[in-house]
């Protein structure tokens, strides 16, 4: 795989409501076989049309711009009222025989552009896709028993990590969702993973659940944590400072920020977080 950042048009093949608040959307494109790899946690961005648009307005991509810098400048130059919403997603699965990529849309009650689009998606709809690229692939830490923790936005990635665990590796999962209706089957049987669901309607939170896990985390020697940024920060510090996991064994990613969107400028906390992540990777 090359390291250029691709820009592709993807077309909806099917839509399935897998839980009351999650729509699983199938996408296809001729370019998918060359873009998608057999690895977990493949992240990309989808470009969603603005109101009144049937398809998003995107700049053309040029071969002499392999890293997409000029493309992104041209993207930002599109008037805001016409510029597509760009949101981050994880590839849940890819069926090479059908050439269909599955992506889960969390239908938040906040009416954000991704939730609105996902709730109304139908076969034939077209979006732009930026990535995925092996340039941004982060290998999973080697572990005998790994902790996987996240909210519903992290469930697609958690499922792919479980599927990719080597033989003999164990896992414990803590997953925060709105209520019991949002639970779903995870590929845990092959590795004997323990799955703990945390329900917000019962007052539960991911941070409290992991901090109070006690012996459930015995033997954990690596962790993968993703979801709301402040929760991820809290858990990462808990795992490193309290559980004494080496920083290099804790993979973490803030997928979204409470009361902010991906269109908002980074806060001081975001910048400090990015610097800390870069320092850990060096």
């Amino acid at each position: 795989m090359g390291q250029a950042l691709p820009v592709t048009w993807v077309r909806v093949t099917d839509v399935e409501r897998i839980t009351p608040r999650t729509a699983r959307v199938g996408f296809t494109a001729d370019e998918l076989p060359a873009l998608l790899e057999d690895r977990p946690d493949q992240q990309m961005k989808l470009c969603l049309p603005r109101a009144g648009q049937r398809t998003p307005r995107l700049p053309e991509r040029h071969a002499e711009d392999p890293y997409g810098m000029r493309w992104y400048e041209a993207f930002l130059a599109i008037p805001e009222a016409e510029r597509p919403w760009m949101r981050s997603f994880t590839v849940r699965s890819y069926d090479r025989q059908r050439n269909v990529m599955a992506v889960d849309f969390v239908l938040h009650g906040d009416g954000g552009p991704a939730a609105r689009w996902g709730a109304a998606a139908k076969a034939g709809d077209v979006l732009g896709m930026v990535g995925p690229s092996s340039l941004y692939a982060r290998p999973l830490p080697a572990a005998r028993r790994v902790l996987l923790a996240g909210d519903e936005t992290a469930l697609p990635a958690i499922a792919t990590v479980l599927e990719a665990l080597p033989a003999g590796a164990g896992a414990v999962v803590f997953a925060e969702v709105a209520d019991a209706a949002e639970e779903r089957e995870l590929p845990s049987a092959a590795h004997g993973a323990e799955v703990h669901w945390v329900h917000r309607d019962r007052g539960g939170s991911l941070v409290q659940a992991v901090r109070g896990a006690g012996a459930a985390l015995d033997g954990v020697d690596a962790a993968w944590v993703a979801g709301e940024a402040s929760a991820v920060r809290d858990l990462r510090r808990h795992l490193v400072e309290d559980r004494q996991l080496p920083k290099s064994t804790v993979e973490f990613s803030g997928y979204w920020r409470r009361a902010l969107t991906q269109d908002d400028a980074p806060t001081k906390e975001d910048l400090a977080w990015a610097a800390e992540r870069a320092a850990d990777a060096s």
Side-chain angles (χ1 to χ4, degrees), residues 87-105:
R87 294 293 184 266
S88 299
F89 290 88
T90 302
V91 177
R92 170 58 192 92
S93 64
Y94 177 55
D95 184 332
R96 289 194 177 273
Q97 185 173 359
R98 295 175 56 225
N99 190 31
V100 172
M101 168 185 72
V103 180
D104 290 352
F105 284 72

Side-chain angles (χ1 to χ4, degrees), residues 109-187:
D110 58 9
R116 289 196 304 269
W117 188 90
K122 61 186 183 302
D125 288 347
V126 174
L127 296 183
M129 181 175 77
V130 181
S133 173
S134 57
L135 179 66
Y136 301 102
R138 295 173 67 93
L140 297 175
R144 294 183 300 277
R145 188 165 188 253
V146 63
L147 165 67
L148 305 173
D151 56 27
E152 50 268 88
T153 65
L155 285 176
I158 287 174
T160 65
V161 172
L162 285 170
E163 290 168 340
L165 287 178
V172 56
V173 178
F174 280 82
E176 179 190 309
V177 293
D179 52 41
E182 292 305 299
E183 294 183 14
R184 68 201 67 173
E185 185 176 353
L186 292 174

Side-chain angles (χ1 to χ4, degrees), residues 59-270:
E60 290 188 12
R61 185 67 190 275
H62 300 286
E64 64 272 17
D65 182 31
Y67 297 100
M69 298 303 294
R70 287 164 51 188
W71 180 91
Y72 190 60
E73 290 175 358
F75 175 84
L76 294 178
I78 298 173
E80 185 176 357
E82 302 175 24
R83 188 189 313 138
W85 303 104
M86 186 182 285
R87 294 293 184 266
S88 299
F89 290 88
T90 302
V91 177
R92 170 58 192 92
S93 64
Y94 177 55
D95 184 332
R96 289 194 177 273
Q97 185 173 359
R98 295 175 56 225
N99 190 31
V100 172
M101 168 185 72
V103 180
D104 290 352
F105 284 72
V106 179
L107 309 181
H108 293 290
D110 58 9
R116 289 196 304 269
W117 188 90
K122 61 186 183 302
D125 288 347
V126 174
L127 296 183
M129 181 175 77
V130 181
S133 173
S134 57
L135 179 66
Y136 301 102
R138 295 173 67 93
L140 297 175
R144 294 183 300 277
R145 188 165 188 253
V146 63
L147 165 67
L148 305 173
D151 56 27
E152 50 268 88
T153 65
L155 285 176
I158 287 174
T160 65
V161 172
L162 285 170
E163 290 168 340
L165 287 178
V172 56
V173 178
F174 280 82
E176 179 190 309
V177 293
D179 52 41
E182 292 305 299
E183 294 183 14
R184 68 201 67 173
E185 185 176 353
L186 292 174
S188 61
H191 301 283
E194 301 173 13
V195 180
H196 303 267
W197 293 99
V198 182
H199 301 142
R200 286 191 296 274
D201 69 332
R202 299 178 187 172
S205 78
L206 185 66
V207 172
Q208 292 173 350
V210 174
R211 282 184 171 273
L217 298 188
D218 287 353
V220 164
D221 52 355
W224 183 101
V225 185
E228 196 280 319
S230 64
V232 171
R233 282 194 291 267
D234 285 348
L235 285 179
R236 192 255 188 176
R237 292 189 179 110
H238 166 67
L239 293 170
V240 171
E241 297 173 6
D242 302 329
R243 290 275 176 177
Q244 298 294 300
L245 290 181
K247 288 183 178 181
S248 61
T249 68
V250 181
E251 174 64 24
F252 58 98
S253 185
Y255 283 174
W256 60 283
R257 301 174 295 169
R258 199 174 306 281
L260 295 171
T261 74
Q262 293 183 25
D263 304 304
D264 295 310
T267 64
K268 289 182 178 179
E269 279 191 338
D270 293 331

